[in-house]
Amino acid sequence: MTILGSLDTKSFLPWIDRHAAKLGLEQRISHADQARIELLLAGPIELIDAMEMGCSLGPINVWVEDIQRAEAVDDTV
C-alpha cells in the first residue's frame, strides 16, 4: 500500500503501527517521508480493506490524497 499526501510521519507512523496491530495485520514500512509512505501488509483482505479506510481518514494532522494498492510478489512482511 502506498499512501500519498501531506503526511506527518512523526504522528502517522505510530498511528499505522497501532491500527495494524488492532486489526491483527502484519506490517512493515519500507519507505516513509512527508509525501509518501510505502507499507507492506499481510492478513485477510477484509482487514487490509479496513486498514486502507482507516489510513484514508488518518490522524487530524495528516492529509491523505491517494492510496494505491498492489499485491506483493513476495507476501512475507
Side-chain angles (χ1 to χ4, degrees):
M1 179 180 296
T2 301
I3 304 168
L4 304 169
S6 178
L7 311 172
D8 178 357
T9 56
K10 288 181 183 178
S11 67
F12 202 20
L13 295 180
W15 186 96
I16 288 171
D17 286 341
R18 281 192 310 276
H19 287 275
K22 285 180 185 178
L23 292 170
L25 297 171
E26 293 180 54
Q27 62 90 19
R28 184 181 71 201
I29 305 221
S30 61
H31 174 86
D33 64 34
Q34 299 301 318
R36 184 178 93 235
I37 295 173
E38 293 178 11
L39 174 64
L40 301 172
L41 295 166
I45 192 72
E46 296 84 4
L47 296 178
I48 293 174
D49 291 344
M51 183 69 177
E52 179 181 359
M53 180 173 288
C55 286
S56 70
L57 300 171
I60 191 102
N61 59 334
V62 169
W63 182 259
V64 174
E65 292 179 14
D66 190 28
I67 296 178
Q68 302 166 353
R69 284 176 54 177
E71 282 194 42
V73 175
D74 179 7
D75 62 351
T76 58
V77 173

